[in-house]
Amino acid sequence: MKEAVRAKELDQKERIGNFDEVIQGYTEDQAVEEASRCLQCKNPVCVEGCPVGIDIKTFIKQVQDRDYKGAYLTIREKNNFPSICGRVCPAEYQCSKTCVLTKKDEPFASENAINIHFLERFIGDYGARESITSGSKDKRLTMYKVAVVGSGPAGICCAGELAREGVKVIIYETLHKMGGVLQYGIPSFRLPRDVLDYEIDSLKSMGVEFKPNYIIGKIKTLNDLLEEGFDAVFLGLGAGTPSFLDVEGENLCNVYSANEFLTRVNLMNAYKFPEFHTPVNVGHHMIVIGGGNVTIDSARVALRLQKLNNIEPNTTIVYRRTELEMPARRLEIEHAKEEGIKFELLVQPIEFIGNKDGYVKKIKSLRCELGESDQSGRRRPSPIEGSEFELDCDVAVIAIGLSANQVLTSLTPELKVDKYKDIIVNAETMETSVSHIYAGGDIVGGEGTVIEAMGMAKRAAKSIVKYLNGR
Amino acid sequence: MKILAKEVLSDFEGARITRIEVKAVDLAQKALAGNFVILMVKEEGERIPLTIVSADRECGTITLIFQEIGFSTKLLGKLKVSDSLYSIMGPLGHATEIKNYGSVVLVAGGVGIAEIYPVAKTLKEAGNKIKVIMGARTKELLILENELKEVSDELFVTTDDGSYGIKGFTTNVLKEILDKERIDIIYAVGPIPMMEEVADLTRGYGVKTLVSLNSLMVDASGMCGCCRVNINGETKFACVDGPEFDAHSVDWDTLKKRNSVYVDKERHICNLNKL
């Protein structure tokens, strides 16, 4: 068996001095070589590993045959944004994990598994470069209009699906730029902004209208939208509220939530201060707390900020389990290590200690050991008594997760939510407790992946189309 | 997002207070006293939170008043009539709870006077007896005196230097009133030290006191947590849980410190741009 083809990457030492995309992607020959490793299984289990069920086997065959346009159209049948998903999908937990080349009982894809997402990205970029349109269907639904609230992965996916059916779609977004978490959360070294802009523009060319700076709930209620003549509404509100550790000193100066830290840098371009006017504070000992993708992103941003500010790069990730339990993407953990980020594993912060001016200076923590597995299947960390120690820290970023943003739901009591304030939907139709109001993405499932959000959005779009067809 | 009118209300030692009227049709329809907006002057700009002073539903405009004190507000002050903002979003935050409380004292300092005005006006319309105490460092910095006179039963003006009205602080007047009569609720907006002093004073009298907190914000819709404040030992987001809070529950020390985290960067960008 030939070894997997690794995509070219920027040099580790140089890349921490900028925000350029780290993974350069496959060249044509690399893509064909990687595709040729695919066994074209009779029963392609990889498809089951994909939340939107892309016909992976077929598109890889098309790459083998150098039929890139065909491959693009195959992917687009199920996924509107291959160049985004090919970059941000945690393939090692999804399609590549189910690849037959992954050894049984591995927690994530083996090294030998096909790099499906790199192939998807190659094809997605090809489609964008060649401006391939996926051929609109007959437009029977042009007399209908649907409002989409939120322009993140769920929102843009639902909009795209509906626009393809001819439905008039207006997307309302609270921020001044489109893309939701893709815009404010994911750094450009993982998702370049021109890739995102291309996908947003392609929606515009399909007739989707964007209304930024528009806070639904406050300016217009959901009822206002229905009364105004929208036939349905899709809520892709995301999980936007940052969680905190609930420990002493958490509101000291220079203790950021990951959302704030990343928003300042990604959305507001604080790394280009003073050319852009939003500042961000950079320290000599930057500590990021957590173990997910947002943690890794924040740490890699922190390291780049140090480098750009001529501060000796010194960024540490503090996580209460071990690397094995980290939910972050494996390749990104590897990238973080290559770049020089330090890991303090099995460590549980218990207090932020500040100086007299209220700035964080140290984090007091306990060492942990792993106990029994919890509901997530990961072994639960338990702090070791008397193991207290302190880490120097002048900027801390808390990246331990997010919960539902309640601005809209709190203003719409008829919209039923669960105990986590996530919106309750019919899992089949994605319809909420209010007729003709649908929801999907993190506001329904709690924190998930981009592709999972898209999967829900597609299901909602399907129900909306069915409903409109029946009118 | 076009600026339809602009007026300099006060210009003293370079810290101008400016009023602008901005076209924002949908926003104007829903704006209530106590709400705020977040705006950007240009694409490179910061997101600046400002209280909505008034909204004209017919014309689809809102009025904002700001002191040109930092880099971004100075940049905003440079815009001329018919220029457009890059973005504006709102109405944000909980509106002031308006009802007939009875006897209300509103205390305003500096540019907080502008923020008090819509609250005073609406409380007056709701049948309350209104006393307003407005204060500034000096006469030149007083704004909206006539407007506030119109909506209040009694108006007190103080200046720190005695150049106009009563010499001294707003809290001196407030104390005199509290010693004299029963007040049902107090509402204070202004610089943090002033709000803190009001809170300290009224705590002793057991009078419910509300303040509108001006913590730093980025997205202002509950997403980033930049604006978090300690309220009764609990972390709250000023943008979505506030901006109004019970003055006696606010941890002022944390607010003051968190609001000063970018002073060096502010100085740097101001020097660089000679603003």
Side-chain angles (χ1 to χ4, degrees), chain A residues 324-343:
Chain A
L324 183 71
E325 288 86 19
M326 280 190 153
R329 295 197 55 194
R330 294 293 125 183
L331 187 57
E332 301 310 332
I333 295 173
E334 203 179 304
H335 283 149
K337 284 186 189 164
E338 283 172 7
E339 289 168 5
I341 288 164
K342 293 181 273 188
F343 286 72

Side-chain angles (χ1 to χ4, degrees), chain A residues 32 41 55 75 89 92 105 137 162 204-205 215 246 263 281 288 305 395 439 448 462:
Chain A
V32 174
C41 305
D55 185 353
I75 297 175
C89 266
E92 68 273 32
D105 300 327
K137 301 178 184 170
L162 294 171
K204 280 184 194 155
S205 68
I215 187 160
D246 201 17
T263 299
N281 283 342
V288 184
L305 290 175
V395 170
K462 222 176 189 174

Side-chain angles (χ1 to χ4, degrees), chain A residues 287-303:
Chain A
I287 289 188
V288 184
I289 298 156
N293 286 314
V294 177
T295 307
I296 305 287
D297 284 346
S298 300
R300 295 174 74 200
V301 164
L303 197 79

